[in-house]
Amino acid sequence: MTTPQSALANSASQRIVFWIFLLASAVGLPRLSMCKDRPNILWIVAEDTSPWMGCYGDAVNRDATPNIDGLAKRGVRFSRAYVPAPVCSACRSALMGGQSQIRFNAHEHRSSRGPAKIYLPPGMKLLPQLLKENGYFTFNLGKDDYNFVWDQEATYSLQAKSRDAIPWDTIRANQPFFGQIQTAGGKNNTARFPQERKANPAEVTVPEDYPQNQLYRETVAQHYDAIRMDDDFIGTVLEGLEAAGLQENTIVVYFSDHGANNLVRHKQMPTEGGLHVPFIIAGPDPWVPAPSVRDDLVNLLDLSATTLVWADVKIPNWFEGQDLFGFRLVPRTYVAAAKDRLDHTIDRVRSVRSDRFRYTRNYKTDRILLQPQYRDQRPFLVNLHELYATGRLSPRLTEIYFGERPAEEFYDVSRDPCQLHNLIDDAGFAAEIERHRGYLEEWLEKGDTGEGEESLAELAFQASGQKWGEGVNPEYEVVRSDSDGDGLSDDWERINGRDPEDGRLAFHFDCGGWQTEGWRAVPDNVGNIAGRLGFLDFELAADWASLRRDGLQLDSEKNRGPLKIVMQVSGDVKIALFGNRNGEQLQLGDTRLDAGKATEEVSIALPEALWQGKFQALRLDITGEPGTLVQMDSIRIDGP
């Protein structure tokens, strides 16, 4: 492995620089104050791009990404760089703020777009603003996408939504500059990309955590094409930089905001695929060391801090990164990341990556890992759901997409980079798991604004009517109305293809964003009752368990006939039904189910003498041998 220090000392001239900088550091002088001129700094920021380039050893794109590879050849390539979030706005917000998005309420994707606004903490300034106030011309061409209210005039000297017409004359006339040029990256439309330059789907390797079929081979091949297309654009940028006479004094940084957009365990997932990105820095002495490869763990927040060092600007106390080429660089033991609401999909996940392992904590276990999202109608996701619904998805992929969401995940990513085998219950890793729990707690102690839910105004804005989709998570139920009293809001029923006016009790547990549909264990002695998509499941911790559904105004006149439960059990059980009517607890009936492999429908007759008026809650008591597995796939009353 090439270390930061050895990379600096690869030549005699660099050794001299090394000792001069070391002396300056020792006496407390700013590192770049000895340099006559401050460098120009150009970030080339790719959207949705995984490190599938020739310089990263990818065989498919060998010789197909010459411009990115050329940057790596003359610069420093970071082999293990990770972003703070697997989605664009949270990642970009963090990079501009110099700290994790969870520290300053920038963690929820596409916040501040509606009536609810988020403002920066008092005294906090964005990276470009700090540079602008210290004499830099700052510009951004293309996407910004920040989750807070910000002062564009104070932040950027020049901003344009188009990235195509780069005003090199203006840039050359305003040095030193800090600029960002955003590229389409994985979002490139490759339909018109020359066929002879496209990757052959038959020659790509589909990662193990995706179906091994032709559709996914084509999906993977398309990402290679998008990178090749982006490489062309990057070449144009570099040519323009050279033609403008700016190459000699400009540091060029290339990186992505997160992983591939059409691979659902890359973008939007805090996994290796979602967080590991390409990261290359090329530039002149003394700001960038000799060409090398860095294998240490890097948080992209380090780039924000390093950029200030290049510009000879003091790093504020809220910055979490460190100078990547500094003499006081402390190798990271771990890097951390967070996932929260993404478009209309509400979540809260925190993850840490050490040298060998990844530990992930899931806070919302009443929803599956692959929640409903904005890509649901795209072929690769339609295919995934079809494979699951028809029983053709492998057990392992069923688990990681549609299975019960575990509270904790732990992976040996050195051997299992696709995170297929959760080792959280493996006693052989108990010490490492405990160590990584400590890493996460250490990171969260610095502050996590994601502990609570968003404001009602923000939830109302995100719930419905957005182009990216309509929310189905339980958090949205507090800003919706349930006119028929069945415990499910009118909007939720409409979105899920149910009748919001029939008033009938009907729970099918087939909404991946709210698996329990409001049922809960009382007391919570059976753990997570949300099973894989379409089911509730749990084991009897003692010889009984109770499931309760509150929040009802269930009209008995619209719910005549027996209560029906489709279920299966691993041992004989008795099921008793209770109802709460105006504070009065009533026993309504019971039934039994014998152990068996087949799913059966059991019925509990509703006695007319008691089944009158409106019920505010129902409770199911299930008794049997401890350890009995209970699986339910619907609870309903068919109607009058």
Side-chain angles (χ1 to χ4, degrees):
M1 181 182 79
T2 304
T3 66
Q5 290 81 5
S6 63
L8 274 173
N10 280 343
S11 68
S13 62
Q14 287 170 329
R15 282 194 293 272
I16 294 171
V17 170
F18 180 94
W19 289 111
I20 293 174
F21 279 0
L22 186 60
L23 177 62
S25 178
V27 299
L29 294 176
R31 189 178 106 183
L32 296 180
S33 62
M34 297 168 292
C35 304
K36 182 179 179 181
D37 298 310
R38 293 186 293 174
N40 299 315
I41 305 163
L42 177 64
W43 287 10
I44 301 176
V45 187
E47 288 201 75
D48 305 33
T49 301
S50 293
W52 296 2
M53 299 96 191
C55 60
Y56 275 88
D58 194 289
V60 175
N61 263 348
R62 184 184 296 121
D63 301 324
T65 51
N67 296 297
I68 298 171
D69 296 349
L71 272 179
K73 187 175 181 179
R74 64 182 179 88
V76 180
R77 177 174 65 82
F78 296 84
S79 68
R80 295 200 295 173
Y82 291 85
V83 288
V87 70
C88 50
S89 69
C91 176
R92 292 162 185 268
S93 297
L95 290 174
M96 292 297 101
Q99 59 182 323
S100 170
Q101 67 278 5
I102 68 171
R103 310 289 190 229
F104 64 111
N105 209 22
H107 54 288
E108 308 282 11
H109 185 44
R110 301 280 161 80
S111 300
S112 301
R113 270 63 168 181
K117 303 298 183 184
I118 294 170
Y119 295 89
L120 295 175
M124 181 178 172
K125 297 178 179 180
L126 301 184
L127 172 65
Q129 183 177 357
L130 292 170
L131 292 166
K132 186 177 181 184
E133 290 177 353
N134 282 273
Y136 267 74
F137 178 80
T138 61
F139 68 87
N140 183 59
L141 306 180
K143 188 174 186 175
D144 44 58
D145 210 15
Y146 310 147
N147 291 332
F148 39 74
V149 176
W150 55 290
D151 187 336
Q152 296 190 32
E153 184 175 349
T155 304
Y156 290 118
S157 312
L158 169 67
Q159 186 175 17
K161 292 300 181 184
S162 173
R163 54 198 164 206
D164 296 325
I166 302 172
W168 290 115
D169 289 344
T170 300
I171 294 169
R172 182 176 56 232
N174 290 275
Q175 300 182 64
F177 63 77
F178 166 72
Q180 298 176 71
I181 297 177
Q182 315 291 333
T183 81
K187 289 182 177 177
N188 271 303
N189 184 347
T190 58
R192 296 185 179 181
F193 193 61
Q195 187 63 40
E196 65 274 12
R197 295 184 59 196
K198 288 186 175 183
N200 183 350
E203 296 177 356
V204 305
T205 299
V206 177
E208 292 180 79
D209 49 338
Y210 297 94
Q212 303 295 306
N213 60 27
Q214 180 61 20
L215 176 60
Y216 273 86
R217 284 188 285 274
E218 292 171 358
T219 301
V220 168
Q222 191 276 333
H223 191 60
Y224 280 112
D225 298 341
I227 293 172
R228 295 176 182 188
M229 191 170 176
D230 220 41
D231 189 79
D232 289 350
F233 175 74
I234 291 167
T236 301
V237 172
L238 298 177
E239 289 171 3
L241 188 74
E242 184 174 8
L246 297 169
Q247 181 174 335
E248 292 302 316
N249 195 42
T250 300
I251 299 168
V252 178
V253 183
Y254 167 74
F255 66 96
S256 175
D257 56 1
H258 52 74
N261 63 321
N262 289 333
L263 293 171
V264 291
R265 276 189 106 221
H266 282 57
K267 180 179 183 177
Q268 294 204 348
M269 288 284 193
T271 57
E272 288 294 291
L275 300 167
H276 182 213
V277 295
F279 181 32
I280 299 167
I281 300 175
D285 285 339
W287 298 285
V288 181
S292 58
V293 176
R294 286 269 295 270
D295 297 318
D296 52 319
L297 289 171
V298 168
N299 186 328
L300 257 291
L301 293 176
D302 294 333
L303 171 60
S304 301
T306 305
T307 297
L308 289 183
V309 172
W310 285 331
D312 201 14
V313 176
K314 182 180 179 181
I315 299 176
N317 59 9
W318 66 80
F319 266 50
E320 294 182 19
Q322 57 182 334
D323 180 6
L324 286 164
F325 307 124
F327 303 109
R328 298 175 182 175
L329 176 69
V330 178
R332 291 188 178 275
T333 304
Y334 62 86
V335 292
K339 170 190 176 182
D340 293 274
R341 178 179 51 73
L342 306 176
D343 299 314
H344 59 294
T345 302
I346 295 176
D347 214 336
R348 185 181 177 219
V349 186
R350 304 292 181 260
S351 186
V352 291
R353 165 60 147 96
S354 66
D355 180 65
R356 178 180 167 187
F357 301 103
R358 177 170 292 282
Y359 169 76
T360 299
R361 184 175 297 170
N362 295 301
Y363 290 83
K364 296 180 180 292
T365 57
D366 61 347
R367 57 210 72 183
I368 62 172
L369 289 160
L370 183 62
Q371 291 199 62
Q373 56 168 278
Y374 80 102
R375 294 172 289 186
D376 279 344
Q377 300 309 310
R378 297 187 184 180
F380 49 84
L381 254 177
V382 171
N383 177 250
L384 202 58
H385 280 275
E386 286 178 348
L387 292 173
Y388 173 72
T390 57
R392 291 179 292 148
L393 194 64
S394 73
R396 185 66 63 187
L397 296 193
T398 293
E399 178 185 337
I400 66 172
Y401 287 110
F402 303 105
E404 176 182 319
R405 178 182 289 225
E408 296 178 291
E409 302 172 65
F410 189 73
Y411 302 95
D412 183 350
V413 290
S414 67
R415 297 182 177 182
D416 179 22
C418 292
Q419 296 181 224
L420 290 170
H421 305 283
N422 186 4
L423 304 173
I424 196 66
D425 295 322
D426 190 324
F429 291 93
E432 283 292 352
I433 291 169
E434 196 60 33
R435 190 196 322 274
H436 284 73
R437 286 172 178 153
Y439 292 158
L440 183 61
E441 290 302 328
E442 178 183 67
W443 185 63
L444 293 176
E445 283 175 0
K446 299 173 184 176
D448 184 355
T449 54
E451 288 182 326
E453 299 301 337
E454 293 180 271
S455 68
L456 296 182
E458 184 67 37
L459 288 172
F461 175 74
Q462 298 290 346
S464 305
Q466 303 296 344
K467 63 181 180 180
W468 45 79
E470 298 186 283
V472 294
N473 301 116
E475 291 83 359
Y476 292 122
E477 294 294 271
V478 299
V479 295
R480 290 171 167 168
S481 60
D482 172 24
S483 61
D484 66 353
D486 62 358
L488 300 168
S489 72
D490 298 351
D491 283 337
W492 192 93
E493 289 197 82
R494 172 183 56 79
I495 296 165
N496 285 280
R498 305 184 194 176
D499 188 343
E501 299 179 354
D502 64 2
R504 294 179 183 175
L505 184 84
F507 299 96
H508 296 285
F509 315 119
D510 56 0
C511 172
W514 190 18
Q515 276 295 98
T516 65
E517 297 185 17
W519 287 85
R520 60 189 177 92
V522 183
D524 187 14
N525 64 341
V526 296
N528 185 17
I529 67 171
R532 62 185 173 90
L533 183 62
F535 299 93
L536 294 185
D537 68 40
F538 52 92
E539 289 184 356
L540 299 184
D543 58 358
W544 65 279
S546 287
L547 298 184
R548 183 182 176 101
R549 184 52 161 96
D550 295 295
L552 303 175
Q553 287 294 329
L554 197 66
D555 189 343
S556 61
E557 292 300 315
K558 295 181 179 180
N559 290 274
R560 293 297 178 182
L563 178 82
K564 298 179 180 180
I565 308 173
V566 177
M567 62 187 297
Q568 67 179 34
V569 292
S570 65
D572 299 346
V573 298
K574 179 183 176 181
I575 307 154
L577 173 65
F578 297 82
N580 187 299
R581 184 180 60 199
N582 301 323
E584 182 182 10
Q585 190 79 0
L586 304 172
Q587 183 167 358
L588 300 172
D590 59 53
T591 188
R592 305 187 70 89
L593 179 62
D594 296 335
K597 294 183 178 180
T599 301
E600 297 184 34
E601 181 178 271
V602 298
S603 297
I604 300 176
L606 301 174
E608 285 192 26
L610 296 177
W611 190 248
Q612 300 291 332
K614 290 187 177 181
F615 286 78
Q616 288 76 49
L618 294 178
R619 192 183 87 219
L620 291 168
D621 284 0
I622 303 158
T623 57
E625 290 293 322
T628 297
L629 176 64
V630 180
Q631 185 179 75
M632 299 179 175
D633 67 2
S634 67
I635 302 172
R636 72 186 195 280
I637 301 174
D638 288 337

